[in-house]
Amino acid sequence: MSSYFDQFPCGVNYEAIGNGGWSACYRVQGGMAACNPSGNPKSQTLVKWNNGTAITNVAHINSVDDNNVVVVTDDGKAYFGNMNNVPSTPIVDSGAIASTGGKNPMCVLVKNGNKKDVLCGKTNLTRPALPADFDVMQLSAGYGLVCALNRQGEAWCWSDGGNFGGGLGTVVQNTPSKLPFSEPVIFIAAGQNGVCGIKQSGGAECKFSYYDNRFLPSANMDQLGVTPANFAPNVKAIQMAYGKGVFINKDGSAQYYPGPTTLNVGKAVAAGGDRAAISVVNENGDVYVVDGGTASLVSGQYKAEPARCSL
């Protein structure tokens, strides 16, 4: 496991577009960032400081809540605000690598000596009650749920309360606990309606959650024509969302669930977003918004680029 994770100094799936929140945000040309706003996900808007100028030293970005964002800059600082009004006072002063966020939870992946750790919150960030030696390989957040993947391939998740995380067994409010996957996982995807991991041996394994009686993968797995412990044998990345999800395969094909429906997006490299819609980026930097199994090209002048790893 360690040799696999050593390939990703900034974390697994670091180059993907932001994986939580109701919008989808991503780095674009010139060190800037753009988002597909939750109210109009087929459009594109630049992320700006509160003085109205575009942020031009973006390393990583993720949406939070409706149209808020966490921006990590090249100098290892993290900032939180509305996508059109980001205050210039950092919430993390140094060591920030990446961020994740959903409707409520927001976390920042940070460098901690020779390891990577996590801080959560929106103003006064604190470390969740993970084991002291937890070395974070990936963070993923959905609506009310956060998961962290460690070097041993264990997925630890926690909920912000309510019905979020229901059905996941030991996951309780503000208390991280290890999910019982059948084997170590190399990728984790948390959504409002479940958590999926990519197993070390290949393929996906999912743990259903519930909210508004929606499921993905469903509690009744026959709705997807799969079993929760073994399907999507060629998957390399997953984006969970509100009653839906996108699985990206090793050949770049992308499938929408429930279904699955194959998406016409070219060779996909990343997916992000949550309740409003899921966005998919292809190898050319084109951004598509996906809803109901249909992918529509986002109208905007900026091509998506991989996040920048400054470690």
Side-chain angles (χ1 to χ4, degrees), residues 131-154:
D133 60 349
F134 203 97
D135 191 2
V136 183
M137 298 295 105
Q138 184 198 353
L139 291 174
S140 180
Y143 192 139
L145 189 67
V146 184
C147 291
L149 179 65
N150 69 10
R151 184 171 285 274
Q152 290 72 43
E154 300 170 345

Side-chain angles (χ1 to χ4, degrees), residues 49-74:
W49 294 115
N50 55 6
N51 65 5
T53 62
I55 304 175
T56 58
N57 61 337
V58 176
H60 191 268
I61 183 170
N62 200 96
S63 65
V64 183
D65 297 332
D66 251 330
N67 289 313
N68 291 329
V69 293
V70 180
V71 179
V72 176
T73 51
D74 289 332

Side-chain angles (χ1 to χ4, degrees), residues 71-82:
V71 179
V72 176
T73 51
D74 289 332
D75 55 2
K77 296 181 179 180
Y79 301 83
F80 173 74
N82 183 273

Side-chain angles (χ1 to χ4, degrees), residues 91-92 100 104-110 117-130 139 141 146-148 158 174 176:
I91 57 172
V92 176
T100 191
N104 291 313
M106 185 277 286
C107 300
V108 179
L109 183 68
V110 296
D117 211 340
V118 55
L119 297 173
C120 297
K122 292 181 179 177
T123 52
N124 298 317
L125 279 69
T126 58
R127 186 183 188 275
L130 292 162
L139 291 174
V146 184
C147 291
W158 59 99
N174 298 324

Side-chain angles (χ1 to χ4, degrees), residues 162-181:
N163 286 331
F164 303 116
L168 294 177
T170 57
V171 175
V172 296
Q173 184 174 1
N174 298 324
T175 304
S177 56
K178 183 172 66 173
L179 293 189
F181 283 101

